[in-house]
Amino acid sequence: MAVYQADAIVIRSREYGESDRLITLFSREKGKLEAVAKGVRKPKSTQRGGTQLFTYADFLLYRGKTLDTVNQAQPRENFIHLWDDFDRTITASAMVELLDISTVREQPDPELFTLTLSFLFLLKHLDPYMAQAAYALRLMHLQGYLPSMEGCTECGGDLSGEQVYLSAEAGGFLCAACKNNRIVIALNPGSLALMRQLYQADLVKIDRLRWNKKMRQEILESLCHYCEQKFERKLLAWRQGSEFWNK
């Protein structure tokens, strides 16, 4: 079996067999990987800390016929702040779930890796749900799915009316005259304006932005719907989080 190294983030972890874990990694060099971490559920395992969800670590892996195996996992960052606050746990879960469903195995994307790692660090300080929305918009940009936000996708007209409409089918926002019978999510123009800012602002300046409960609800619900339609998968962690950001 060939041995290889990966600088990676654990984006999914589930029980496998009696004492193992099957983990999904997103690596800088090779993109998404899947490997078995043997014996890490045993109390005395020395690799447990390197295979926990959200952990950023240096991995040494064996290439197997069907599944790769983790030989070593040396943690670089465990992101304790993601586990100390439930909202941040939910938000980070939503981020890595979106990363998982929007990528295929072994397709390197260093920009997406850097984006994800940056947001896991930034979650220590940012409004977690604002960070979640900003991450989703930037991920969709890198994946080629960012919704058009500068004018009506259909007619090119202004989007300053009482409501605007996000359509996954159209690939962006529509005015009232163009939404027709499409499946759409309605938002106020103020929510659209904030979405533009969340996408365009420097990462370190996102914490200067402000929203109210209605804007938060509109933005997160519309992005959830849009991503589910584009990637054809349910966002379970994102939907679980709606119980908290809708309060």
Side-chain angles (χ1 to χ4, degrees):
M1 294 187 294
V3 179
Y4 66 98
Q5 294 179 320
D7 175 24
I9 305 161
V10 181
I11 65 170
R12 192 178 179 198
S13 177
R14 54 256 193 228
E15 293 183 358
Y16 189 77
E18 292 185 3
S19 59
D20 306 338
R21 282 197 173 275
L22 183 61
I23 60 174
T24 302
L25 307 172
F26 196 79
S27 70
R28 190 190 305 272
E29 306 89 347
K30 297 180 180 296
K32 187 163 70 174
L33 306 166
E34 199 164 61
V36 176
K38 293 188 175 180
V40 295
R41 287 161 52 206
K42 294 179 179 178
K44 295 184 179 181
S45 172
T46 60
Q47 293 187 14
R48 178 180 293 188
T51 56
Q52 295 288 334
L53 186 63
F54 311 137
T55 299
Y56 170 42
D58 291 320
F59 290 88
L60 184 66
L61 303 109
Y62 286 117
R63 178 78 70 182
K65 291 183 179 179
T66 55
L67 279 174
D68 297 352
T69 303
V70 176
N71 184 45
Q72 294 179 12
Q74 185 64 43
R76 289 191 179 191
E77 179 59 58
N78 292 109
F79 297 109
I80 300 301
H81 58 273
L82 301 180
W83 297 106
D84 287 344
D85 180 277
F86 190 71
D87 289 306
R88 285 173 170 76
T89 304
I90 289 291
T91 295
S93 298
M95 288 181 180
V96 297
E97 180 186 41
L98 178 58
L99 175 63
D100 189 15
I101 72 167
S102 66
T103 52
V104 297
R105 290 184 63 178
E106 298 194 31
Q107 184 172 306
D109 193 331
E111 283 188 89
L112 190 50
F113 174 87
T114 300
L115 178 75
T116 304
L117 186 60
S118 298
F119 268 93
L120 293 179
F121 277 109
L122 287 168
L123 273 172
K124 187 172 184 177
H125 307 290
L126 295 180
D127 174 320
Y129 297 112
M130 191 172 282
Q132 180 178 330
Y135 175 78
L137 288 164
R138 291 157 196 256
L139 175 144
M140 286 192 287
H141 166 71
L142 293 176
Q143 301 281 49
Y145 290 107
L146 182 71
S148 174
M149 296 185 280
E150 296 308 317
C152 176
T153 306
E154 190 75 17
C155 70
D158 185 56
L159 292 172
S160 59
E162 291 186 3
Q163 283 193 316
V164 295
Y165 303 88
L166 181 58
S167 166
E169 178 188 351
F173 283 87
L174 299 168
C175 65
C178 293
K179 69 181 180 70
N180 298 322
N181 295 320
R182 290 187 175 98
I183 298 174
V184 297
I185 300 293
L187 298 89
N188 289 315
S191 296
L192 171 57
L194 181 57
M195 285 178 69
R196 293 192 189 109
Q197 291 179 295
L198 288 169
Y199 166 61
Q200 296 169 350
D202 291 341
L203 293 184
V204 295
K205 295 182 180 179
I206 291 175
D207 63 348
R208 301 179 186 179
L209 303 176
R210 296 291 181 268
W211 58 4
N212 56 37
K213 179 181 176 181
K214 183 173 179 58
M215 294 170 72
R216 179 179 65 199
Q217 186 173 353
E218 287 185 348
I219 291 171
L220 291 171
E221 286 183 352
S222 64
L223 287 175
C224 179
H225 170 79
Y226 190 87
C227 289
E228 287 182 338
Q229 293 297 309
K230 286 298 183 183
F231 299 120
E232 299 181 340
R233 292 271 298 278
K234 290 292 185 184
L235 291 171
L236 301 180
W238 197 302
R239 289 180 174 274
Q240 182 183 1
S242 69
E243 299 175 15
F244 301 93
W245 46 256
N246 273 330
K247 289 182 178 179

